[in-house]
Amino acid sequence: GASMKVGQILSADPDLVPTELASELASLQTAAPPLPWAQVRAVLEAAWDRPIEAVMQSFEPTPRGAASIGQVHRGTLHDGRVVAIKLQYPGVEDALKSDLKNLGALMSVARVVFDKRRVEGWSSEVESQLIGEADYEGEGQRLAEFSALFERFMGFAVPTPVPEWTRRDVLVMSWVDGDKLDTALMERDAETRRATCERLARTWVVCCFEHQVVHGDPHPGNFLLQPGGVIGVLDFGAIKRLPV
């Protein structure tokens, strides 16, 4: 999982790796193999210190999505709220730290080919962001902040965190429905595609220059298209706060 995350980041910057390597690394942006159900139960019950049934009225054992450092399940709390349960793969945080050391060695070779300051800056930024992504309690706090921020913009839906069941390796939040943005837009007319992408780009510019904060993982898998053109925004692990 950790190596997969680093590979995804490398594939997104064509200036850091040769074109042929970037093309191969891009395959890492697809879904990862899911964690078996027995391990899912073990992770959740260790985090909550009680059986899953004591927290959830219902829980889907098959994940709705599996990514580089965790996977997401759908469930219903006893109060009737439908939620997404994002759980982290066991040992990912330690694996991230180990892989970052290996990445540092790789980047030392890259300094021969690329600008030294850029490579060192990239390495430092990746380390900070990746370790931050492993803290799901921190992501829950960022999610709450972005929920409030996105209320200022028209046509966006952001999950609401459920703090009482969120832990460092488990994030519980309201469920957001929708179709994957890039594939859904291909079924719309050209004007709808243009207007949707323009609204998304404008919002990111406003977040950056007026609020000094950026959602730093804007790949299509983190966006959903809902009826009426509402854009669902997911995954607030990679957030960058900019100096004023």
Side-chain angles (χ1 to χ4, degrees), residues 15-52:
D15 293 332
L16 280 173
V17 293
T19 304
E20 297 78 7
L21 180 56
S23 178
E24 290 297 322
L25 290 172
S27 65
L28 295 174
Q29 295 177 6
T30 57
L35 201 66
W37 167 239
Q39 287 184 276
V40 169
R41 177 178 282 276
V43 169
L44 291 178
E45 294 187 345
W48 292 334
D49 195 28
R50 66 197 68 196
I52 290 178

Side-chain angles (χ1 to χ4, degrees), residues 92-200:
V92 157
E93 190 167 356
D94 289 337
L96 277 171
K97 293 175 182 177
S98 175
D99 280 357
L100 285 167
K101 291 181 181 179
N102 294 333
L103 179 64
L106 176 63
M107 289 295 99
S108 67
V109 177
R111 291 188 188 97
V112 177
V113 181
F114 303 106
D115 180 78
K116 179 181 178 180
R117 289 175 300 175
R118 183 167 186 231
V119 171
E120 290 177 347
W122 188 92
S123 298
S124 175
E125 186 75 15
V126 167
E127 180 174 358
S128 173
Q129 289 297 324
L130 284 182
I131 297 302
E133 282 195 58
D135 178 8
Y136 283 2
E137 287 179 313
E139 182 177 349
Q141 294 170 2
R142 294 188 291 273
L143 187 57
E145 293 170 8
F146 264 82
S147 294
L149 175 59
F150 270 68
E151 288 179 357
R152 306 182 184 199
F153 306 118
M154 295 293 294
F156 287 91
V158 177
T160 303
V162 182
E164 58 265 37
W165 297 118
T166 293
R167 305 290 185 267
R168 186 172 178 84
D169 57 352
V170 176
L171 172 59
V172 181
M173 55 193 157
S174 60
W175 183 265
V176 174
D177 274 316
D179 300 315
K180 193 166 174 286
L181 181 65
D182 55 348
T183 53
L185 281 180
M186 292 305 296
E187 300 175 359
R188 306 304 199 273
D189 59 79
E191 176 58 25
T192 299
R193 292 198 299 269
R194 183 202 63 77
T196 302
C197 293
E198 184 179 272
R199 177 158 49 94
L200 192 60

Side-chain angles (χ1 to χ4, degrees), residues 208-230:
C208 177
F209 289 99
E210 291 189 12
H211 302 283
Q212 290 76 48
V213 64
V214 176
H215 180 297
D217 197 7
H219 69 77
N222 285 337
F223 298 94
L224 303 174
L225 190 62
Q226 299 181 338
V230 173

